[in-house]
Coordinates of all heavy atoms in Angstrom, one line a residue:
M1 N 53.9 96.0 102.3 CA 53.4 94.8 101.5 C 51.9 95.1 101.0 O 51.2 95.7 101.8 CB 53.5 93.6 102.3 CG 52.9 92.4 101.7 SD 53.3 90.9 102.5 CE 55.1 90.9 102.4
D2 N 51.7 94.7 99.7 CA 50.3 94.9 99.4 C 49.3 94.1 100.1 O 49.7 93.0 100.6 CB 50.2 94.9 97.8 CG 50.1 93.4 97.3 OD1 49.1 92.8 97.6 OD2 50.9 93.0 96.6
S3 N 48.0 94.5 100.1 CA 47.1 93.9 101.0 C 46.3 92.8 100.3 O 45.4 92.2 100.8 CB 46.1 94.9 101.6 OG 45.5 95.6 100.5
Q4 N 46.6 92.5 99.0 CA 45.9 91.5 98.2 C 46.2 90.1 98.8 O 47.4 89.9 99.0 CB 46.2 91.6 96.8 CG 45.1 91.0 95.9 CD 45.5 91.0 94.5 OE1 46.5 91.4 94.1 NE2 44.7 90.5 93.6
K5 N 45.1 89.4 99.0 CA 45.3 88.0 99.6 C 46.1 87.2 98.6 O 45.9 87.2 97.4 CB 44.0 87.4 99.8 CG 44.0 86.1 100.6 CD 42.6 85.5 100.6 CE 41.5 86.3 101.2 NZ 41.7 86.8 102.5
K6 N 47.1 86.4 99.1 CA 47.9 85.5 98.3 C 47.5 84.0 98.7 O 47.4 83.7 99.8 CB 49.4 85.7 98.6 CG 49.9 87.1 98.4 CD 50.1 87.4 97.0 CE 50.8 88.8 96.7 NZ 50.1 89.9 97.4
I7 N 47.2 83.3 97.6 CA 46.8 81.9 97.8 C 47.9 81.0 97.2 O 48.2 81.2 96.0 CB 45.5 81.6 97.1 CG1 44.5 82.5 97.8 CG2 45.1 80.2 97.3 CD1 43.0 82.3 97.1
I8 N 48.5 80.2 98.1 CA 49.6 79.3 97.6 C 49.1 77.9 97.7 O 48.7 77.4 98.7 CB 50.9 79.4 98.4 CG1 51.4 80.9 98.3 CG2 52.0 78.5 97.9 CD1 50.9 81.8 99.5
T9 N 49.0 77.2 96.5 CA 48.5 75.8 96.5 C 49.7 74.9 96.3 O 50.5 75.0 95.3 CB 47.4 75.6 95.5 OG1 46.4 76.5 95.7 CG2 46.9 74.2 95.5
I10 N 49.8 73.8 97.1 CA 50.9 72.8 97.0 C 50.3 71.5 96.4 O 49.3 71.0 97.0 CB 51.4 72.4 98.4 CG1 51.7 73.6 99.2 CG2 52.7 71.5 98.3 CD1 52.8 74.6 98.7
T11 N 50.7 71.2 95.1 CA 50.2 70.0 94.6 C 51.3 69.3 93.9 O 52.4 69.7 93.7 CB 49.1 70.4 93.5 OG1 48.5 69.1 93.1 CG2 49.6 71.2 92.3
G12 N 51.0 68.0 93.7 CA 52.0 67.2 93.0 C 51.4 65.8 92.8 O 50.4 65.4 93.5
Y13 N 51.8 65.2 91.7 CA 51.0 63.9 91.3 C 51.4 62.8 92.3 O 50.6 62.0 92.6 CB 51.4 63.5 89.9 CG 50.6 62.4 89.4 CD1 49.2 62.6 89.1 CD2 51.0 61.1 89.4 CE1 48.5 61.6 88.8 CE2 50.2 60.0 89.0 CZ 48.9 60.2 88.7 OH 48.1 59.3 88.3
K14 N 52.6 62.7 92.7 CA 53.1 61.5 93.6 C 52.6 61.7 95.0 O 52.5 62.8 95.5 CB 54.6 61.3 93.5 CG 55.0 60.8 92.2 CD 56.6 60.5 92.3 CE 56.9 59.2 93.0 NZ 58.2 58.9 93.0
G15 N 52.4 60.6 95.6 CA 52.2 60.6 97.1 C 53.5 60.6 97.9 O 54.5 60.1 97.4
G16 N 53.4 61.1 99.1 CA 54.6 61.0 100.0 C 55.8 61.7 99.6 O 56.9 61.5 99.8
V17 N 55.7 62.9 98.8 CA 56.9 63.5 98.3 C 57.2 64.8 99.0 O 58.0 65.6 98.7 CB 56.7 63.9 96.8 CG1 56.9 62.6 96.0 CG2 55.5 64.6 96.4
G18 N 56.4 65.2 100.1 CA 56.6 66.3 101.0 C 55.6 67.4 100.7 O 56.0 68.6 101.1
K19 N 54.5 67.3 100.2 CA 53.5 68.3 99.9 C 53.1 69.0 101.3 O 53.1 70.2 101.5 CB 52.3 67.8 99.3 CG 52.5 67.3 97.8 CD 51.3 66.9 97.1 CE 50.7 65.7 97.7 NZ 51.5 64.5 97.6
S20 N 52.7 68.1 102.3 CA 52.1 68.6 103.6 C 53.3 69.2 104.2 O 53.1 70.3 104.8 CB 51.6 67.4 104.3 OG 50.4 66.9 103.6
T21 N 54.4 68.7 104.3 CA 55.6 69.3 104.9 C 56.0 70.6 104.4 O 56.1 71.6 105.1 CB 56.9 68.3 104.8 OG1 56.5 67.0 105.3 CG2 58.0 68.8 105.6
T22 N 55.9 70.7 103.1 CA 56.2 72.0 102.4 C 55.0 73.0 102.8 O 55.4 74.1 103.0 CB 56.2 71.8 100.8 OG1 57.2 70.8 100.6 CG2 56.4 73.1 100.1
A23 N 53.8 72.5 102.8 CA 52.8 73.5 103.2 C 52.9 74.0 104.6 O 52.7 75.2 104.8 CB 51.4 72.8 103.0
V24 N 53.3 73.2 105.5 CA 53.5 73.7 106.8 C 54.7 74.7 106.9 O 54.5 75.7 107.5 CB 53.7 72.4 107.8 CG1 54.3 72.9 109.2 CG2 52.4 71.7 107.9
H25 N 55.7 74.4 106.2 CA 56.8 75.2 106.3 C 56.6 76.5 105.7 O 57.0 77.7 106.1 CB 58.1 74.6 105.6 CG 58.8 73.5 106.6 ND1 59.8 73.9 107.4 CD2 58.5 72.3 106.9 CE1 60.1 72.8 108.1 NE2 59.4 71.8 107.7
L26 N 55.9 76.5 104.5 CA 55.5 77.8 103.9 C 54.6 78.6 104.6 O 54.8 79.8 104.8 CB 54.9 77.5 102.4 CG 55.8 77.1 101.3 CD1 55.1 76.8 100.0 CD2 56.7 78.3 101.1
A27 N 53.6 77.9 105.3 CA 52.7 78.6 106.2 C 53.4 79.3 107.4 O 53.2 80.4 107.8 CB 51.6 77.7 106.6
T28 N 54.5 78.6 108.0 CA 55.2 79.2 109.0 C 56.0 80.4 108.5 O 55.9 81.4 109.2 CB 56.2 78.0 109.6 OG1 55.5 76.9 109.9 CG2 57.0 78.6 110.7
F29 N 56.6 80.3 107.4 CA 57.3 81.5 106.8 C 56.3 82.6 106.6 O 56.6 83.8 107.1 CB 58.0 81.1 105.6 CG 58.6 82.3 104.7 CD1 59.7 82.9 105.2 CD2 57.9 82.8 103.7 CE1 60.1 84.0 104.5 CE2 58.3 83.9 103.0 CZ 59.5 84.5 103.3
F30 N 55.2 82.4 105.9 CA 54.3 83.5 105.7 C 53.7 84.0 106.9 O 53.3 85.2 106.9 CB 53.2 83.2 104.6 CG 53.7 82.9 103.3 CD1 53.7 81.8 102.6 CD2 54.2 84.0 102.6 CE1 54.2 81.5 101.3 CE2 54.8 83.9 101.3 CZ 54.7 82.7 100.7
S31 N 53.6 83.2 108.0 CA 52.9 83.8 109.2 C 53.8 84.9 109.9 O 53.2 85.6 110.7 CB 52.7 82.6 110.1 OG 53.9 82.1 110.7
E32 N 55.0 84.9 109.4 CA 55.9 86.0 110.0 C 55.7 87.4 109.3 O 56.1 88.4 109.6 CB 57.3 85.7 109.8 CG 57.7 84.5 110.8 CD 59.2 84.1 110.8 OE1 59.9 84.8 110.2 OE2 59.5 83.1 111.5
L33 N 55.0 87.2 108.1 CA 54.7 88.4 107.2 C 53.4 88.9 107.4 O 53.1 90.1 107.0 CB 55.0 88.1 105.7 CG 56.4 87.5 105.4 CD1 56.4 87.1 103.9 CD2 57.5 88.4 105.9
G34 N 52.4 88.0 107.8 CA 51.1 88.5 107.8 C 50.1 87.3 108.2 O 50.6 86.3 108.4
K35 N 48.8 87.6 108.5 CA 48.0 86.5 109.0 C 47.9 85.5 107.9 O 47.6 85.7 106.8 CB 46.6 87.1 109.3 CG 45.8 86.0 109.9 CD 44.4 86.4 110.3 CE 43.6 85.0 110.8 NZ 42.2 85.2 111.0
T36 N 48.1 84.3 108.4 CA 48.2 83.1 107.5 C 47.3 81.9 108.0 O 47.2 81.7 109.2 CB 49.7 82.6 107.4 OG1 50.5 83.7 107.0 CG2 49.8 81.4 106.5
V37 N 46.6 81.3 107.0 CA 45.8 80.1 107.3 C 46.2 79.0 106.4 O 46.5 79.2 105.2 CB 44.3 80.5 107.1 CG1 43.5 79.2 107.2 CG2 43.8 81.5 108.0
L38 N 46.4 77.9 107.0 CA 46.6 76.6 106.2 C 45.4 75.8 106.0 O 44.7 75.5 107.0 CB 47.7 75.8 107.0 CG 48.0 74.3 106.4 CD1 48.6 74.5 105.0 CD2 48.9 73.5 107.3
V39 N 45.0 75.7 104.8 CA 43.9 74.9 104.5 C 44.3 73.5 104.1 O 45.0 73.3 103.2 CB 43.0 75.5 103.4 CG1 41.8 74.7 103.1 CG2 42.6 76.9 103.8
D40 N 43.9 72.5 104.9 CA 44.2 71.0 104.6 C 43.0 70.5 103.7 O 42.0 70.1 104.2 CB 44.3 70.3 105.9 CG 44.9 68.9 105.6 OD1 44.8 68.4 104.5 OD2 45.2 68.2 106.6
G41 N 43.3 70.4 102.4 CA 42.3 69.9 101.5 C 42.5 68.5 101.1 O 41.9 68.0 100.2
D42 N 43.3 67.7 102.0 CA 43.5 66.3 101.7 C 42.7 65.5 102.7 O 42.9 65.8 103.9 CB 45.0 66.0 101.8 CG 45.3 64.7 101.4 OD1 44.4 63.8 101.3 OD2 46.6 64.4 101.2
Q43 N 42.0 64.6 102.2 CA 41.1 63.8 103.2 C 42.0 63.1 104.2 O 41.5 62.6 105.3 CB 40.3 62.8 102.3 CG 39.2 63.4 101.5 CD 38.1 64.1 102.3 OE1 37.6 63.6 103.3 NE2 37.8 65.3 101.9
N44 N 43.2 62.8 103.9 CA 44.1 62.1 105.0 C 44.4 63.1 106.1 O 44.8 62.6 107.2 CB 45.3 61.4 104.4 CG 46.3 62.4 103.9 OD1 46.4 63.6 104.4 ND2 47.3 62.0 103.0
R45 N 44.2 64.4 105.9 CA 44.2 65.4 107.0 C 45.5 65.4 107.8 O 45.6 65.5 109.0 CB 43.1 65.2 108.1 CG 41.7 65.2 107.4 CD 41.3 66.5 106.8 NE 39.9 66.5 106.3 CZ 39.4 67.1 105.2 NH1 40.2 67.9 104.6 NH2 38.2 67.1 105.0
T46 N 46.6 65.1 107.0 CA 48.0 65.1 107.6 C 48.3 66.4 108.3 O 48.7 66.4 109.5 CB 49.0 64.8 106.5 OG1 48.7 63.6 105.8 CG2 50.4 64.7 107.2
A47 N 48.2 67.5 107.6 CA 48.6 68.9 108.1 C 47.7 69.1 109.3 O 48.3 69.7 110.4 CB 48.4 69.8 107.1
L48 N 46.4 68.7 109.3 CA 45.6 69.0 110.5 C 46.0 68.2 111.6 O 45.9 68.7 112.8 CB 44.1 68.7 110.2 CG 43.2 69.8 109.6 CD1 41.8 69.3 109.5 CD2 43.2 70.9 110.7
A49 N 46.4 66.9 111.4 CA 46.8 66.2 112.6 C 48.1 66.7 113.2 O 48.2 66.7 114.4 CB 47.0 64.6 112.0
W50 N 49.0 67.1 112.2 CA 50.2 67.7 112.8 C 49.9 69.0 113.5 O 50.5 69.3 114.7 CB 51.2 68.2 111.7 CG 51.8 66.9 111.0 CD1 51.8 65.7 111.5 CD2 52.4 66.9 109.7 NE1 52.5 64.8 110.5 CE2 52.8 65.6 109.4 CE3 52.7 67.8 108.8 CZ2 53.5 65.2 108.3 CZ3 53.2 67.5 107.5 CH2 53.6 66.2 107.3
S51 N 48.9 69.8 113.1 CA 48.6 71.0 113.8 C 48.0 70.8 115.2 O 48.3 71.5 116.1 CB 47.7 71.9 113.1 OG 46.4 71.4 113.2
K52 N 47.4 69.6 115.4 CA 46.8 69.3 116.7 C 47.9 68.7 117.7 O 47.6 68.7 118.9 CB 45.7 68.2 116.5 CG 44.5 68.9 115.9 CD 43.4 67.9 115.6 CE 42.3 68.6 114.9 NZ 41.4 67.8 114.0
R53 N 48.9 68.3 117.1 CA 50.0 67.7 117.9 C 50.9 68.8 118.5 O 51.5 68.7 119.6 CB 51.0 66.8 117.1 CG 50.3 65.5 117.0 CD 51.3 64.4 116.5 NE 52.6 64.9 115.9 CZ 53.3 64.2 115.0 NH1 52.8 63.0 114.5 NH2 54.4 64.6 114.5
G54 N 51.0 69.9 117.8 CA 52.0 70.9 118.3 C 51.3 72.3 118.3 O 50.2 72.4 118.5
S55 N 52.1 73.2 118.2 CA 51.6 74.7 118.2 C 52.1 75.4 117.0 O 53.3 76.0 117.1 CB 51.9 75.4 119.5 OG 53.3 75.4 119.8
F56 N 51.5 75.4 115.9 CA 51.8 76.1 114.8 C 51.5 77.6 115.0 O 50.5 77.9 115.5 CB 51.2 75.5 113.5 CG 51.6 74.3 113.0 CD1 50.8 73.4 112.3 CD2 52.9 73.8 113.4 CE1 51.3 72.2 111.9 CE2 53.4 72.6 112.9 CZ 52.6 71.7 112.2
P57 N 52.2 78.5 114.3 CA 51.9 79.9 114.5 C 51.0 80.4 113.5 O 50.9 81.5 113.0 CB 53.4 80.5 114.2 CG 54.0 79.6 113.3 CD 53.6 78.2 113.6
F58 N 50.1 79.5 113.1 CA 48.9 79.8 112.1 C 47.8 78.8 112.4 O 48.0 77.7 112.9 CB 49.4 79.7 110.8 CG 50.2 78.4 110.4 CD1 49.5 77.4 110.1 CD2 51.4 78.4 110.4 CE1 50.0 76.1 109.8 CE2 52.2 77.2 110.2 CZ 51.4 76.0 109.8
P59 N 46.5 79.2 112.2 CA 45.5 78.2 112.3 C 45.5 77.3 111.1 O 45.9 77.7 110.0 CB 44.2 79.1 112.3 CG 44.6 80.3 111.7 CD 46.1 80.5 111.9
A60 N 45.0 75.9 111.4 CA 44.9 74.9 110.3 C 43.5 74.5 110.3 O 42.9 74.2 111.4 CB 46.0 73.8 110.5
V61 N 42.9 74.5 109.1 CA 41.5 74.1 109.1 C 41.2 73.2 107.7 O 42.2 73.2 106.9 CB 40.5 75.4 108.8 CG1 40.5 76.2 110.1 CG2 40.8 76.1 107.6
D62 N 40.2 72.5 107.8 CA 39.9 71.8 106.5 C 39.1 72.7 105.6 O 38.7 73.7 105.9 CB 39.2 70.4 106.9 CG 37.9 70.6 107.4 OD1 37.1 71.5 107.0 OD2 37.5 69.7 108.2
E63 N 38.9 72.1 104.4 CA 38.3 73.0 103.3 C 36.8 73.4 103.6 O 36.4 74.4 103.2 CB 38.3 72.3 101.9 CG 37.4 71.2 101.7 CD 38.0 69.8 102.3 OE1 39.0 69.8 102.9 OE2 37.3 68.8 102.1
R64 N 36.2 72.6 104.6 CA 34.8 72.9 105.0 C 34.9 74.1 105.8 O 33.8 74.9 105.8 CB 34.1 71.7 105.7 CG 34.1 70.5 104.7 CD 33.7 69.3 105.6 NE 34.7 69.0 106.5 CZ 34.6 68.0 107.4 NH1 33.8 67.2 107.2 NH2 35.6 67.8 108.2
Q65 N 35.8 74.3 106.6 CA 35.8 75.4 107.6 C 36.6 76.7 107.0 O 36.6 77.8 107.6 CB 36.6 75.1 108.8 CG 36.1 73.8 109.6 CD 37.2 73.2 110.5 OE1 38.3 73.2 110.1 NE2 36.7 72.9 111.6
A66 N 37.1 76.5 105.8 CA 38.1 77.5 105.2 C 37.3 78.9 105.2 O 37.9 79.9 105.4 CB 38.7 77.0 103.9
L67 N 36.1 78.9 104.5 CA 35.5 80.2 104.3 C 35.3 81.0 105.5 O 35.2 82.2 105.4 CB 34.2 79.9 103.6 CG 34.3 79.6 102.1 CD1 32.8 79.3 101.5 CD2 34.9 80.8 101.4
K68 N 35.2 80.3 106.6 CA 34.9 81.1 107.9 C 36.2 81.8 108.4 O 36.0 82.8 109.1 CB 34.5 80.1 109.0 CG 33.2 79.4 108.8 CD 32.9 78.5 110.0 CE 32.0 77.3 109.6 NZ 32.1 76.1 110.6
V69 N 37.4 81.3 107.9 CA 38.5 81.8 108.6 C 39.5 82.6 107.7 O 40.4 83.2 108.0 CB 39.3 80.8 109.4 CG1 38.5 80.3 110.6 CG2 39.7 79.7 108.5
I70 N 39.3 82.4 106.4 CA 40.4 83.0 105.4 C 40.0 84.5 105.0 O 40.8 85.1 104.4 CB 40.4 82.3 104.2 CG1 39.2 82.3 103.3 CG2 40.9 80.8 104.4 CD1 39.4 81.7 101.9
A71 N 38.8 84.9 105.4 CA 38.5 86.3 105.0 C 39.5 87.4 105.3 O 39.8 88.1 104.5 CB 37.1 86.7 105.7
D72 N 40.0 87.3 106.5 CA 41.0 88.4 106.8 C 42.4 87.9 106.8 O 43.3 88.6 107.3 CB 40.6 89.1 108.2 CG 40.7 88.0 109.4 OD1 40.7 86.8 109.0 OD2 40.9 88.4 110.4
A73 N 42.6 86.8 106.1 CA 44.0 86.2 106.0 C 44.7 86.9 104.8 O 44.1 87.1 103.7 CB 44.0 84.8 105.9
Q74 N 45.9 87.2 105.0 CA 46.7 87.7 103.9 C 47.4 86.7 103.1 O 47.5 86.8 101.9 CB 47.9 88.7 104.4 CG 48.5 89.4 103.5 CD 49.4 90.4 104.0 OE1 49.6 90.6 105.1 NE2 50.1 91.1 103.1
F75 N 47.6 85.5 103.7 CA 48.2 84.4 103.0 C 47.4 83.1 103.3 O 47.1 82.8 104.5 CB 49.6 84.1 103.5 CG 50.6 85.3 103.3 CD1 50.9 86.2 104.3 CD2 51.0 85.6 102.0 CE1 51.7 87.2 104.0 CE2 51.9 86.7 101.7 CZ 52.2 87.5 102.8
V76 N 47.0 82.4 102.3 CA 46.3 81.1 102.5 C 47.1 80.0 101.7 O 47.5 80.2 100.6 CB 45.0 81.2 101.8 CG1 44.1 79.8 101.9 CG2 44.1 82.3 102.4
V77 N 47.6 79.0 102.5 CA 48.3 77.9 102.0 C 47.5 76.8 102.0 O 46.9 76.3 103.0 CB 49.6 77.7 102.8 CG1 50.4 76.5 102.2 CG2 50.5 78.9 102.9
I78 N 47.3 76.1 100.8 CA 46.4 75.0 100.6 C 47.3 73.8 100.4 O 48.0 73.6 99.3 CB 45.4 75.3 99.5 CG1 44.8 76.6 99.6 CG2 44.4 74.2 99.4 CD1 43.8 77.0 98.5
D79 N 47.0 72.7 101.2 CA 47.6 71.4 101.0 C 46.6 70.6 100.2 O 45.3 70.7 100.5 CB 47.9 70.7 102.3 CG 48.7 69.5 102.1 OD1 49.3 69.2 101.1 OD2 48.7 68.7 103.2
T80 N 46.9 69.8 99.3 CA 46.1 69.0 98.5 C 46.4 67.5 98.5 O 47.6 67.2 98.8 CB 46.1 69.5 97.0 OG1 47.4 69.3 96.5 CG2 45.8 71.0 96.9
P81 N 45.6 66.6 98.0 CA 45.9 65.1 98.0 C 46.8 64.9 96.7 O 46.9 65.6 95.8 CB 44.5 64.5 97.7 CG 43.5 65.6 97.7 CD 44.1 66.9 97.6
A82 N 47.4 63.7 96.9 CA 48.2 63.2 95.8 C 47.3 62.8 94.6 O 46.1 62.7 94.8 CB 49.0 61.9 96.3
R83 N 47.9 62.5 93.5 CA 47.2 62.1 92.3 C 46.0 63.0 91.9 O 44.9 62.5 91.7 CB 46.8 60.6 92.3 CG 48.0 59.7 92.2 CD 47.6 58.3 92.7 NE 47.4 58.1 94.1 CZ 48.4 58.0 95.0 NH1 49.5 58.2 94.7 NH2 48.1 58.0 96.3
P84 N 46.2 64.3 91.7 CA 45.1 65.2 91.2 C 44.8 64.7 89.7 O 45.7 64.3 89.0 CB 45.7 66.5 91.3 CG 47.2 66.3 91.2 CD 47.4 65.0 91.8
D85 N 43.5 64.7 89.3 CA 43.2 64.5 88.0 C 43.2 65.8 87.2 O 43.4 66.8 87.8 CB 42.0 63.7 87.7 CG 40.7 64.3 88.3 OD1 40.7 65.6 88.3 OD2 39.7 63.7 88.6
S86 N 43.0 65.7 85.9 CA 43.1 66.9 85.1 C 42.0 68.0 85.5 O 42.4 69.2 85.5 CB 43.2 66.7 83.7 OG 42.0 65.9 83.3
D87 N 40.9 67.5 85.9 CA 39.9 68.6 86.4 C 40.3 69.2 87.7 O 40.1 70.4 87.8 CB 38.5 67.8 86.6 CG 37.8 67.4 85.4 OD1 38.2 67.9 84.3 OD2 36.9 66.6 85.5
D88 N 40.9 68.3 88.6 CA 41.4 69.0 89.8 C 42.3 70.1 89.6 O 42.2 71.2 90.1 CB 42.1 68.0 90.7 CG 41.1 66.9 91.2 OD1 39.9 67.2 91.4 OD2 41.6 65.8 91.5
L89 N 43.3 69.8 88.6 CA 44.4 70.8 88.3 C 43.8 72.0 87.6 O 44.2 73.1 87.9 CB 45.4 70.1 87.3 CG 46.2 69.1 88.0 CD1 47.1 68.4 87.0 CD2 47.1 69.7 89.1
K90 N 42.8 71.8 86.8 CA 42.1 73.0 86.2 C 41.5 73.9 87.1 O 41.5 75.1 87.1 CB 41.0 72.6 85.1 CG 41.7 72.3 83.8 CD 40.7 72.0 82.7 CE 41.3 71.3 81.6 NZ 40.5 70.2 80.9
E91 N 40.7 73.3 88.2 CA 40.1 74.0 89.2 C 41.0 74.7 90.1 O 40.8 75.9 90.5 CB 39.2 73.0 90.1 CG 38.0 72.5 89.4 CD 37.0 73.5 88.8 OE1 37.0 74.6 89.5 OE2 36.4 73.3 87.8
L92 N 42.2 74.1 90.4 CA 43.2 74.7 91.3 C 43.7 76.0 90.6 O 44.0 77.1 91.2 CB 44.3 73.8 91.5 CG 44.0 72.7 92.7 CD1 45.1 71.6 92.6 CD2 43.6 73.2 94.0
E93 N 44.0 75.8 89.2 CA 44.5 76.9 88.5 C 43.5 78.0 88.4 O 43.9 79.3 88.3 CB 44.8 76.4 87.2 CG 45.6 77.4 86.2 CD 45.7 76.7 84.8 OE1 44.9 76.0 84.3 OE2 46.9 76.9 84.2
A94 N 42.3 77.7 88.3 CA 41.2 78.7 88.1 C 41.0 79.7 89.3 O 40.5 80.8 89.1 CB 39.9 78.1 87.7
V95 N 41.4 79.3 90.5 CA 41.1 80.1 91.7 C 41.9 81.4 91.6 O 43.0 81.4 91.4 CB 41.3 79.3 92.9 CG1 41.0 80.0 94.2 CG2 40.5 78.0 92.9
Ligands
ATP1 N1 62.7 67.6 102.8 C1 62.4 66.4 103.3 N2 63.5 65.7 103.6 C2 63.3 64.5 104.2 N3 62.0 63.9 104.6 C3 61.0 64.7 104.2 C4 61.1 65.9 103.6 N4 59.9 66.4 103.4 C5 59.0 65.6 103.9 N5 59.7 64.5 104.4 C6 59.1 63.3 105.0 O1 58.5 62.6 104.0 C7 57.2 62.0 104.5 C8 56.1 62.3 103.5 O2 56.0 63.8 103.7 P1 54.6 64.4 103.5 O3 53.5 63.9 104.4 O4 54.8 66.0 103.6 O5 54.3 64.2 101.9 P2 52.8 64.3 101.1 O6 53.4 64.6 99.7 O7 52.2 65.3 101.8 O8 52.3 62.9 101.2 P3 50.8 62.4 100.9 O9 50.8 62.3 99.3 O10 50.7 61.2 101.6 O11 49.9 63.5 101.3 C9 57.1 62.4 105.9 O12 57.5 61.4 106.7 C10 58.0 63.7 106.0 O13 58.5 63.8 107.3
MG2 MG1 50.1 65.2 102.3

């Protein structure tokens, strides 16, 4: 597998449609392929709360801690809040 970092961002306009659930499942899948970090970029911190309840096979951090831990990750899965505005979407696309 090539060593370039892959960043997968989960976004969607509606709330409660499974973004965080999808992010956790994707991070679980990718963690079997290489070092994976889940970045919880939603202020409601759903994914972080779930990670504290159980034992995910990957670290979960908020966006403030992300830079410290994603350097050597091969896969970075980013969970995002509902109702992104057009600026948010442009920024997500630009990364
Ligand atoms: N594929 C699915 N089938 C059934 N229930 C699901 C599925 N995916 C998620 N859920 C349930 O739907 C609810 C909302 O899921 P989740 O928190 O992942 O959505 P979200 O889009 O991240 O919400 P928010 O916009 O509030 O961040 C949760 O109770 C979750 O367990
Ligand atoms: Mg969510």
Side-chain angles (χ1 to χ4, degrees):
M1 174 164 302
D2 81 66
S3 58
Q4 204 184 0
K5 192 186 303 299
K6 303 284 189 302
I7 301 174
I8 301 100
T9 303
I10 313 299
T11 187
Y13 190 74
K14 285 186 75 174
V17 291
K19 295 181 295 299
S20 299
T21 305
T22 301
V24 165
H25 281 266
L26 283 176
T28 302
F29 170 76
F30 284 118
S31 70
E32 292 181 7
L33 305 180
K35 185 175 173 194
T36 300
V37 174
L38 174 63
V39 177
D40 187 347
D42 188 345
Q43 293 297 313
N44 71 20
R45 308 293 187 211
T46 304
L48 264 184
W50 290 343
S51 79
K52 284 173 186 157
R53 276 190 351 205
S55 54
F56 288 155
F58 50 81
V61 296
D62 68 33
E63 72 280 1
R64 298 166 301 184
Q65 302 160 318
L67 279 179
K68 295 182 208 159
V69 294
I70 65 169
D72 62 342
Q74 192 174 356
F75 301 99
V76 180
V77 178
I78 306 176
D79 188 19
T80 65
R83 286 169 289 286
D85 62 27
S86 53
D87 283 348
D88 293 333
L89 291 173
K90 275 185 200 140
E91 291 300 328
L92 289 169
E93 186 184 36
V95 179

